[in-house]
Amino acid sequence: MKPMIYLDHAATTGVRPEVLEEMLPYLQEEYGNPSSVYDLAGRSRKAVEEARQRIAGGIGAKPEEIYFTGGGSESDNWVLKGIASLHPHCHIITTRIEHHAVLHACEWLEQQGMRLTYLPVNEQGMVSAEQVRKAIRPDTVLISVMFANNEIGTIQPIREIGRIARRAHVLFHTDAVQAFGHVPIDVNEMNIDLMSASAHKLSGPKGVGMLYIKAGIELPPLIHGGGQERHMRAGTENVPGIAGFGKAAQLAFSTMRERSEKISGLRDYLIRQVLALVPYTRLNGSRGRRLPGNANFSFQFIEGESLLVLLDTRGICASAGSACSTGSPEPSHVLTAIGLPKELAHASVRLTIGEENTKEEIDYTIQQIMELVSRLREVSDEYDAFTRQQG
Ligand SMILES: *Cc1c(COP(=O)(O)O)cnc(C)c1O
């Protein structure tokens, strides 16, 4: 039987047993609608408020600044479209390497008459705070820079950007979906006004996320209807999902340090070994400012997609660029933005490690990558031409 080694934690994660246990009562006997008056409803209401406290506590926010949503994409869209609706034809600053939930929303807003600046990044995928400062204009109403990139794992200088935004009196949003629960975040120290997060990237359930909205910031409601989420997002709460999100966040915050040490140890080992054992390979992203679990390689002369298919036959789940772009012939916008030529962008594979992965799994993966990359190169015309040229 082939093993099953999951190395795609940036795409999604499985729900932890403790999280499932937290959710189950609200799918079964505790089914009350939090808006109703009886005891049964009160217990659902309490579960939602406890989750709100757990999430707020982990990022230095107040519980009433946390608004539950249907996920990271929804939170991103809420901010961008909400701010744009308050300030039509004004200016938004973002980057070329955002998740499509931000980029495609920005492109749509441009068609509606908003002005957009897409900041470039350096070869490690970093945007500089100085560039952000220079891009600010009198009509700038929002800066949206992701906390950490989902493809190459680069962590942005969020604190510096926050300081610049605050000084310029411009709102600062960060898509922290990859960072939340994985690296320390303090919304006050970092001057973050708005922040998106999603439960399924930290061992919580899919289809639930949150938007942090700093007290006093004006954002129009996302969904009009009942009074849920302080009249900002109507609709009966996803109580089991929210309770699971709260538990996942609590676990993530309380174990962050050891987990991050363990995972980044495995990541560094994987990177070191792959670069040492597989020739003509490069690491994409930053060596130092990188999410604990992220490794992204380009294996010259091969197609990343072909490697993925072969890795799958060996029981290894990995991804080319981002899950959202799998199957698309266009190279990843992130790899293009860091300056990779098309061939190297198409030759890339992302492996993202989680807490349940073991050293043995990483060793097995390294072995398979070595074997499969050389097998693919044996049938590669480019590799053939290259080796001939080398004589
Ligand atoms: C996964 C992801 C999203 C989307 O979150 P969903 O909850 O799946 O909608 C947004 N931004 C980043 C950086 C992500 O990694």
Side-chain angles (χ1 to χ4, degrees):
M1 211 182 80
K2 75 174 181 184
M4 159 43 201
I5 299 177
Y6 188 73
L7 289 172
D8 204 15
H9 291 81
T12 195
T13 56
V15 164
R16 290 174 58 101
E18 301 94 314
V19 171
L20 180 64
E21 202 180 308
E22 189 87 8
M23 295 172 70
L24 277 176
Y26 305 102
L27 288 162
Q28 294 174 321
E29 67 279 8
E30 300 287 352
Y31 50 76
N33 184 324
S35 299
S36 302
V37 295
Y38 31 78
D39 243 25
L40 179 71
R43 292 197 293 274
S44 292
R45 196 155 56 236
K46 212 166 138 260
V48 170
E49 293 321 312
E50 183 170 18
R52 207 185 302 282
Q53 282 168 16
R54 285 171 165 175
I55 289 166
I59 55 170
K62 298 192 273 288
E64 62 272 22
E65 295 173 316
I66 304 297
Y67 295 82
F68 289 113
T69 66
S73 302
E74 182 177 312
S75 300
D76 288 342
N77 272 259
W78 185 3
V79 170
L80 293 158
K81 293 172 186 172
I83 297 296
S85 76
L86 295 175
H87 307 279
H89 305 290
C90 285
H91 179 231
I92 294 174
I93 299 169
T94 186
T95 79
R96 289 191 193 156
I97 62 161
E98 297 298 309
H99 189 273
H100 283 147
V102 168
L103 274 187
H104 289 168
C106 285
E107 285 158 14
W108 184 79
L109 287 172
E110 247 180 319
Q111 290 168 15
Q112 312 300 308
M114 291 299 286
R115 318 280 150 90
L116 263 294
T117 296
Y118 301 93
L119 293 174
V121 293
N122 69 11
E123 61 286 352
Q124 305 194 327
M126 292 270 285
V127 58
S128 83
E130 184 54 21
Q131 266 178 312
V132 174
R133 192 184 63 74
K134 285 189 180 145
I136 296 174
R137 321 190 307 206
D139 63 340
T140 305
V141 289
L142 180 69
I143 296 166
S144 183
V145 175
M146 72 198 317
F147 205 109
N149 185 265
N150 45 302
E151 292 189 35
I152 56 175
T154 305
I155 299 171
Q156 300 299 336
I158 291 301
R159 189 185 300 268
E160 288 74 17
I161 297 171
R163 202 177 296 136
I164 282 163
R166 182 58 45 90
R167 224 177 270 152
H169 304 288
V170 175
L171 290 178
F172 177 38
H173 166 248
T174 185
D175 173 342
V177 173
Q178 289 290 332
F180 179 80
H182 296 285
V183 297
I185 299 178
D186 186 307
V187 289
N188 295 308
E189 276 180 23
M190 295 177 167
N191 282 316
I192 295 167
D193 296 312
L194 300 142
M195 185 175 91
S196 310
S198 179
H200 76 100
K201 305 283 174 81
L202 60 142
S203 308
K206 294 168 182 58
V208 56
M210 68 92 173
L211 182 65
Y212 159 78
I213 309 177
K214 188 188 271 304
I217 283 174
E218 191 194 353
L219 189 70
L222 176 67
I223 299 177
H224 296 89
Q228 293 91 353
E229 299 302 292
R230 301 160 67 88
H231 297 277
M232 292 287 272
R233 186 191 184 266
T236 302
E237 297 88 342
N238 172 4
V239 181
I242 290 169
F245 186 13
K247 185 67 186 177
Q250 185 206 32
L251 288 169
F253 293 130
S254 63
T255 63
M256 189 184 292
R257 188 189 293 233
E258 323 80 280
R259 200 162 33 94
S260 156
E261 261 170 40
K262 183 202 154 188
I263 295 174
S264 58
L266 289 176
R267 172 203 63 190
D268 291 340
Y269 176 69
L270 172 69
I271 291 174
R272 223 174 25 248
Q273 293 293 95
V274 167
L275 292 181
L277 298 171
V278 187
Y280 312 115
T281 298
R282 58 164 276 155
L283 175 72
N284 297 312
S286 159
R287 255 283 157 82
R289 291 186 58 95
R290 184 172 205 110
L291 284 172
N294 178 288
N296 186 312
F297 301 104
S298 288
F299 300 103
Q300 219 182 324
F301 312 114
I302 72 159
E303 285 291 326
E305 292 282 345
S306 313
L307 180 56
L308 288 186
V309 171
L310 291 179
L311 283 171
D312 185 37
T313 66
R314 306 288 170 94
I316 299 166
C317 305
S319 159
S322 70
C324 322
S325 58
T326 297
S328 124
E330 281 303 302
S332 136
H333 66 287
V334 176
L335 297 177
T336 305
I338 62 171
L340 283 201
K342 223 177 173 139
E343 314 82 72
L344 278 183
H346 279 301
S348 86
V349 163
R350 177 188 75 183
L351 301 144
T352 42
I353 302 168
E355 60 187 312
E356 80 284 0
N357 290 128
T358 61
K359 168 93 172 5
E360 291 67 37
E361 289 179 333
I362 301 298
D363 277 323
Y364 172 81
T365 302
I366 293 163
Q367 193 58 41
Q368 300 307 314
I369 289 176
M370 257 170 66
E371 252 179 69
L372 297 173
V373 169
S374 64
R375 208 215 283 176
L376 286 168
R377 282 178 180 162
E378 274 164 31
V379 297
S380 151
D381 292 340
E382 295 86 57
Y383 187 62
D384 187 49
F386 173 78
T387 46
R388 271 168 211 275
Q389 210 176 37
Q390 301 284 297

